[in-house]
Amino acid sequence: SKHCVNLDNTTANVTVKPFELDMGFQFELHVTVSGKKINVSDIPELPIPEDWMRDKLELHFYKTEQAEGGGEIENVTYHKGSGTGVITFLNPG
């Protein structure tokens, strides 16, 4: 549990300690699907940064092809004010 880390030519001794993550948020999304893009609406405004919400949307919609859907994601846009987003996949499907 103890580690030695070099930071900018200085050695720091650190100790790893367990911690609990805050409970996540659960919400319902409304989705419109096309060949390559998914339009998401009614995303609730949550007290998290916009880049976190983009990451959550990407993780939610990314699935391997073996999982019957999804795929590699090219881009995720999120508009906090309107509660909408667009997930664009690399390949249509």
Side-chain angles (χ1 to χ4, degrees):
S1 67
K2 294 185 178 187
H3 300 276
C4 184
V5 179
N6 291 320
L7 302 169
D8 295 328
N9 298 322
T10 302
T11 302
N13 294 316
V14 295
T15 303
V16 178
K17 294 184 180 183
F19 64 94
E20 290 186 28
L21 295 174
D22 293 336
M23 290 296 296
F25 296 97
Q26 183 174 354
F27 50 88
E28 182 178 328
L29 301 172
H30 296 269
V31 176
T32 304
V33 180
S34 73
K36 194 172 174 182
K37 292 184 178 184
I38 296 176
N39 296 322
V40 184
S41 60
D42 297 329
I43 302 171
E45 191 169 331
L46 301 175
I48 61 174
E50 289 187 35
D51 56 333
W52 288 13
M53 181 60 82
R54 280 192 295 275
D55 291 346
K56 288 181 179 299
L57 289 169
E58 181 172 353
L59 288 171
H60 181 76
F61 287 100
Y62 177 83
K63 294 182 182 177
T64 62
E65 292 179 21
Q66 293 82 13
E68 298 180 21
E72 201 168 346
I73 293 176
E74 180 179 325
N75 188 40
V76 176
T77 59
Y78 167 62
H79 305 283
K80 189 172 189 169
S82 65
T84 61
V86 177
I87 292 82
T88 305
F89 294 93
L90 283 176
N91 301 307

